[in-house]
Amino acid sequence: MPVARLQESSFKGVGWVPTNALITCFDGIGDSPYGSLGDLFIAPDTRTLVDVDFEDDTPAERFCIGDVQHLDGSAFACCTRSILTTAVHRLRSVASLQPVVSFEHEFQFDTDEKAIMQTPSFSMKGHREAADFGETLVAALRAAGLKPESFIKEYGADQFEMPIGVANGVLAADHAVILRELVRATAIRFDKVVSFNPIRSLDGVGNGVHVHFSLQDLAGEPVMYDAQQPYQLSQIGGSFVAGVLEYLPEYLSLTAPLATSYLRLTPHRWSAAYNNLGAQDREASLRICPVSGDDDEQRAGRFNIEFRAADAAASPYLVLAALLHAGTQGIEDNLPTPSVTTDDLSLLDESTLSKRGLSRLPQSLSEALQCFERSHMIHQWFGEEFKGVYLALKREELSHVEAWSPEEQCAAYGRVY
Ligand code: GLU
Ligand code: MG
């Protein structure tokens, strides 16, 4: 629509319908409780307006993120952004804390898997070959108000990584959406096909989304760092992290939402396979990140935990809402800090794992959806309406892909994401 409409006082948003929440990524429609009934609108949050001119004679990229609302302005139960807003408020009211978050994305250009032999990972050659793309993307992100930190030729075939600076609460998830769209917008201008596909082939590496988070009090002071505690994780940070791990199987289908997400969440893919808090371990679901700094104040400001069991097929709003609800629950229930793992858990048998309070994450989307369905907490945190809609949506998607081989599933999802 013409951008000028955003300024009109009578403009409240664009029309939407409840059943749209059940459209799968393959354009199927899950079993809808709404049918053809109901009217909603997407109310723009003009603070998120992106207006990036690539100065190459193509139209500027202009878009805006909004909240899906009923006609009276109340939130639609399946509005992912409103769900996150509720989770942010809960953390604030339970613990007087606010989340500080950054979503770190990996993506791949659509080239031959064997390209890895031509463009070695982490090499100057790899960066040089993608320099025009990288420079343009960094400029576009900056123009949209994000703070790109680096552009890395990752390990996978034509795989790159784009970490960005932290933002508070809902804005961090907005930034994840904006980043994905600007990566695509930049790729189009270079005639490249890019994908955030969680995994492209069984013998390739995955594309992860790693969520770096920390907590601040309402005055902006970091509360997760305590130099006196093991691994410098404060007590309140430990309770939060314990909640995130405790409920991980129940909300995993929100953070790893595709049938193929579970091919990525396997040992030795540097993603996440167990419900563990690891130190110096890039296969832990939660990783305590090493921080540098001259003194405790600097280190406290930089201290963060990384959640590795997410991919870019997931809504960043739902990912963060799940982490915040689970973490807040951990604080509410005063859970003790989990013990920290520093070994390769895939070498341990089940009884050793269970003695240490560890277990393998659900190994398929249907298993994860069963945990989601049975979860009392999901009901409490997300509400019955959202829960039913999400299950119907994902089960419709599963019925679409279940007859396909894993390779066919990877290829089909790759074209979507
Ligand atoms: N590609 C890995 C993943 O799927 C992450 C590699 C890394 O950056 O540690 O999560
Ligand atoms: Mg990486």
Side-chain angles (χ1 to χ4, degrees), residues 106 154 159 161 206-208 210 264 269-271 282 308:
E106 294 172 332
E154 251 284 7
Q159 186 183 44
E161 176 176 311
N207 291 302
H210 302 162
R264 173 178 163 260
R269 284 189 185 276
W270 291 44
S271 56
R282 282 177 167 74
R308 300 176 67 87

Side-chain angles (χ1 to χ4, degrees), residues 329-362:
Q329 196 66 44
I331 292 177
E332 234 176 32
D333 298 346
N334 210 6
L335 297 183
T337 302
S339 47
V340 173
T341 64
T342 51
D343 50 341
D344 180 352
L345 303 186
S346 72
L347 302 176
L348 307 179
D349 57 39
E350 230 167 272
S351 79
T352 316
L353 282 170
S354 95
K355 271 187 218 133
R356 289 172 56 180
L358 298 167
S359 56
R360 187 77 173 76
L361 299 180

Side-chain angles (χ1 to χ4, degrees), residues 217-370:
D217 65 20
L218 300 182
E221 289 302 318
V223 302
M224 277 203 346
Y225 182 87
D226 180 346
Q228 309 312 319
Q229 296 294 326
Y231 298 95
Q232 289 75 54
L233 180 58
S234 69
Q235 244 162 10
I236 190 128
S239 291
F240 186 91
V241 158
V244 170
L245 285 182
E246 172 78 18
Y247 301 105
L248 176 54
E250 292 166 54
Y251 64 77
L252 187 66
S253 65
L254 296 175
T255 69
L258 304 186
T260 52
S261 296
Y262 296 81
L263 300 172
R264 173 178 163 260
L265 297 183
T266 46
H268 310 308
R269 284 189 185 276
W270 291 44
S271 56
Y274 299 87
N275 61 342
N276 64 319
L277 171 65
Q280 306 194 350
D281 177 6
R282 282 177 167 74
E283 293 205 358
S285 284
L286 285 177
R287 180 173 78 103
I288 302 173
C289 296
V291 279
S292 56
D294 294 336
D295 52 40
D296 275 339
E297 199 185 323
Q298 274 190 5
R299 283 189 285 272
R302 292 175 191 164
F303 187 76
N304 69 88
I305 305 284
E306 178 188 49
F307 178 76
R308 300 176 67 87
D311 60 55
S315 156
Y317 301 103
L318 296 180
V319 172
L320 190 51
L323 297 181
L324 296 184
H325 273 302
T328 305
Q329 196 66 44
I331 292 177
E332 234 176 32
D333 298 346
N334 210 6
L335 297 183
T337 302
S339 47
V340 173
T341 64
T342 51
D343 50 341
D344 180 352
L345 303 186
S346 72
L347 302 176
L348 307 179
D349 57 39
E350 230 167 272
S351 79
T352 316
L353 282 170
S354 95
K355 271 187 218 133
R356 289 172 56 180
L358 298 167
S359 56
R360 187 77 173 76
L361 299 180
Q363 294 183 46
S364 67
L365 179 57
S366 33
E367 191 187 335
L369 287 173
Q370 272 167 25

